[in-house]
Amino acid sequence: MLQNIRSNIQGTLAKIIIGLIVVSFALFGIESILLGGGKSGVAEVNGETITPYEVQQTVNLQRRQLLAMLGDEADPSLLDEDRLTAQAIETLIQRELLVQAAGELGLTTSEQTIGAIVGSMEQFQVGGQFDRDLFRSVLATAGFTPALFKESLREDLVTNQLRVGFAASDFATPAELAVQARIAGEKRDLRYLAIPVDRFDDSATVDEAAIEAWYEDNPDSFMTPENVDVSYIELTLEDFEEPVSEEALREEFELTRDTFEVPTEARVAHILLTREAGESDEAYAARVAAAGDAIAAGEDFGAVAGRLSDDIGSSAAGGDLGYTAGDTFPAPMEEAIAALAVGDVSGPVETEAGTHIIKVLDRREGKAVTFEEVRGQLERRLREGAARDELLRVVEELRDLAFNAEDLSAPASELGLSVETVSGVARGAGEGLFADPRVQSALFSDEVLAEKHNSPVLELSPERFVVVHADTHHLSERQPLEAVRDQIATRIAAERARAAARAEGERLLAALAAGETLDELANAGDYEWQVELGATRAANALPAPVGRRAFTLPAPEGEGPVRELVGAPAGDIYLVELTRVTPGSLETLSAQREALLRRSIAGEYGSVLIGAFENALRAGAEIEVY
């Protein structure tokens, strides 16, 4: 289809269509086509709008998380844009409901707490210290502004308070605890005998007729994977980095030295008084005056804040708000702070939040930096900045050239780039660059694989781009018998060994039922057998398959044990005899184990409670998805 467009773009019909599009833009406005004339939001929750920008941010975050978790194993379908968008909208709706609920409950987080968390995050640190430039750079790369990031962090903290509060509000009743203790503290006595599958392995007995029969009976086995021979152009930021001259470094320093200077910062505390519903002017003024009088009378500022301040987030810390460089708090507060000396207390200061009484606890003077102190940062900034500009310029040119070219040789030649090749890139099983789900999806798309077009230029990260072309497509085909003869013989021998080990287990079970004992059978067959007394779910030395099955077997009835054969993934067989089950009890649990059990039950019930609360919020909300 794209090739037909390319071929006919100069035709008369194409020119007529383009003319009609231009006229429609002129008459009705491009906005009506791009925006549909509807609302600018994606969804609305109780009157609060969820914007397309928020959705895209969440999609990008989900994509990065999936790639970080799954790496080369990521399923391309999990990264589908429509799928991620739907998940992002649902996530944002649920988040907005929790934020609104937290606000109604008066939950909040202080600026001091947010600042402490941001300052402690390793991704914003250089040499163990918070770096403002790195902070802004990392956020810009992720599509955040500092204000947006802090607001997102604030919402995370208050919604987490809500969740933790619900989780901590549930507990285990004595009856529930007793039931769980009965299960968790249960002890089991058992014996087991191991029948190793290797004892029955005899590859030499697999004859040619059996191999040929297996090959004919399993036509879909031993197929070569579908694969492609690929040519590609990869562009990275490092490819475009060049040394920076001394003159450029010093010029940049002179232009930006103010950004490197550490500003003067004041550490402040406040007492916030907010007017209560129905409170009269006189009563409110009396409360403000009472706070001022207490301080004037010599009472400790922090004590007054703890007693009278309506700011829940800071009152417990004596009203401490941390440091400000003059841009943290509302303008009236910052003006009052700038006029105060260390230790001074302001008069009442009015903001939208209420009335503040402010005290300056400390002031640390800013300092200038030298050229040598920031030389490394300047060099990195200029080098990467110039390289990024050049990278993006080349990427844009490559997009146009690759779209109109039949392969990658002409675009590479025009831009002075290198075309790399790799053979046998398998669908869903590439390595390195070709393990990336986005590259796999593009390479095996109809446009690239069937129509032989170049792929779009893929942005794998802001600093890495790639475009691919499928040179030769190799369909999956059955390998000849000669190439897989040994593999078939090994497989037949393994199947026979597994069957023989299972048959030996059945023979031993029959012998036990006839009256023989486990130790007699083990000695006669030279098998290893073990006894495990008092095994619990949390602590036992049992092989994994035996441990999993031993605690699901029914308790013995009467005098005889319960016996069963248990298979291991490798083919080994275990003959298990369960002789006794002793139920646990709360009295036999250690204090530590009982505490863990209580927390486990409370955590499970807390999760159910949170889920029910979220469902109730959803049911009572006005939600519209556009």
Side-chain angles (χ1 to χ4, degrees), residues 75-132:
D75 183 348
S77 65
L78 296 176
L79 302 173
D80 177 72
E81 188 76 14
D82 291 339
R83 177 174 183 165
L84 290 179
T85 299
Q87 293 173 350
I89 293 173
E90 182 60 31
T91 298
L92 290 168
I93 289 173
Q94 202 65 37
R95 177 189 177 93
E96 180 60 34
L97 287 171
L98 289 174
V99 169
Q100 292 176 10
E104 291 173 1
L105 293 172
L107 300 179
T108 185
T109 300
S110 68
E111 287 290 336
Q112 182 183 16
T113 300
I114 294 174
I117 292 174
V118 172
S120 67
M121 298 175 75
E122 292 184 0
Q123 53 266 53
F124 304 142
Q125 294 181 351
V126 175
Q129 298 294 320
F130 177 76
D131 185 281
R132 192 181 301 273

Side-chain angles (χ1 to χ4, degrees), residues 146-475:
L148 181 61
F149 177 74
K150 288 182 178 179
E151 181 59 29
S152 177
L153 181 57
R154 186 192 308 278
E155 291 181 354
D156 286 340
L157 292 172
V158 295
T159 55
N160 189 56
Q161 289 180 44
L162 192 63
R163 289 192 173 97
V164 170
F166 272 107
S169 67
D170 215 328
F171 57 90
T173 66
E176 293 166 339
L177 193 61
V179 171
Q180 291 293 328
R182 180 182 177 87
I183 298 171
E186 181 183 83
K187 296 181 179 180
R188 296 199 166 205
D189 299 341
L190 65 147
R191 297 183 292 179
Y192 63 93
L193 178 148
I195 306 172
V197 71
D198 293 346
R199 178 177 291 196
F200 305 94
D201 184 22
D202 189 6
S203 303
T205 63
V206 181
D207 56 28
E208 187 65 23
I211 293 173
E212 292 179 358
W214 197 97
Y215 182 77
E216 294 303 324
D217 291 342
N218 297 274
D220 294 332
S221 299
F222 301 111
M223 301 290 288
T224 61
E226 177 189 7
N227 64 89
V228 183
D229 297 337
V230 183
S231 56
Y232 66 98
I233 297 174
E234 183 180 10
L235 302 176
T236 65
L237 187 66
E238 290 79 7
D239 297 334
F240 296 89
E241 289 188 1
E242 298 287 347
V244 181
S245 69
E246 183 74 10
E247 180 182 357
L249 287 174
R250 292 194 175 274
E251 181 180 352
E252 180 69 11
F253 177 69
E254 293 301 326
L255 291 172
T256 62
R257 71 160 66 222
D258 290 346
T259 65
F260 290 104
E261 292 179 352
V262 178
T264 298
E265 294 181 313
R267 183 180 180 185
V268 298
H270 81 152
I271 298 167
L272 173 63
L273 299 166
T274 58
R275 187 190 295 271
E276 298 175 354
E279 185 177 21
S280 67
D281 292 344
E282 293 78 11
Y284 182 50
R287 285 202 297 125
V288 174
D293 292 344
I295 296 167
E299 186 174 348
D300 179 70
F301 188 93
V304 177
R307 181 164 55 87
L308 300 179
S309 180
D310 293 327
D311 182 358
I312 299 174
S314 69
S315 60
D320 195 340
L321 296 174
Y323 283 92
T324 175
D327 56 0
T328 303
F329 306 118
M333 288 184 67
E334 293 292 357
E335 291 171 5
I337 292 167
L340 293 173
V342 174
D344 286 352
V345 177
S346 75
V349 177
E350 300 294 334
T351 70
E352 291 183 359
T355 303
H356 308 258
I357 299 174
I358 303 166
K359 180 177 182 178
V360 175
L361 305 176
D362 182 31
R363 182 170 275 115
R364 54 192 184 194
E365 297 299 325
K367 66 171 185 176
V369 297
T370 66
F371 173 74
E372 292 302 328
E373 287 177 320
V374 297
R375 181 191 183 96
Q377 295 182 51
L378 289 171
E379 185 174 6
R380 182 176 67 251
R381 178 195 297 175
L382 290 180
R383 186 178 67 248
E384 292 183 354
R388 185 170 284 105
D389 291 343
E390 181 64 11
L391 170 64
L392 295 179
R393 183 191 67 78
V394 173
V395 164
E396 289 305 312
E397 290 191 30
L398 182 59
R399 290 187 201 278
D400 294 337
L401 293 172
F403 179 80
N404 292 297
E406 297 197 2
D407 57 28
L408 296 176
S409 57
S413 176
E414 184 164 343
L415 296 174
L417 304 173
S418 298
V419 178
E420 306 293 336
T421 60
V422 62
S423 300
V425 176
R427 184 190 290 268
E431 297 180 357
L433 172 68
F434 296 96
D436 190 296
R438 293 163 292 183
V439 178
Q440 279 273 328
S441 179
L443 180 59
F444 287 93
S445 66
D446 289 342
E447 180 183 351
V448 174
L449 201 61
E451 300 179 28
K452 294 299 181 182
H453 297 314
N454 295 323
S455 77
V457 177
L458 306 173
E459 181 179 352
L460 305 185
S461 77
E463 300 177 354
R464 190 184 188 199
F465 298 80
V466 67
V467 56
V468 298
H469 180 83
D471 297 333
T472 307
H473 182 199
H474 305 283
L475 295 174

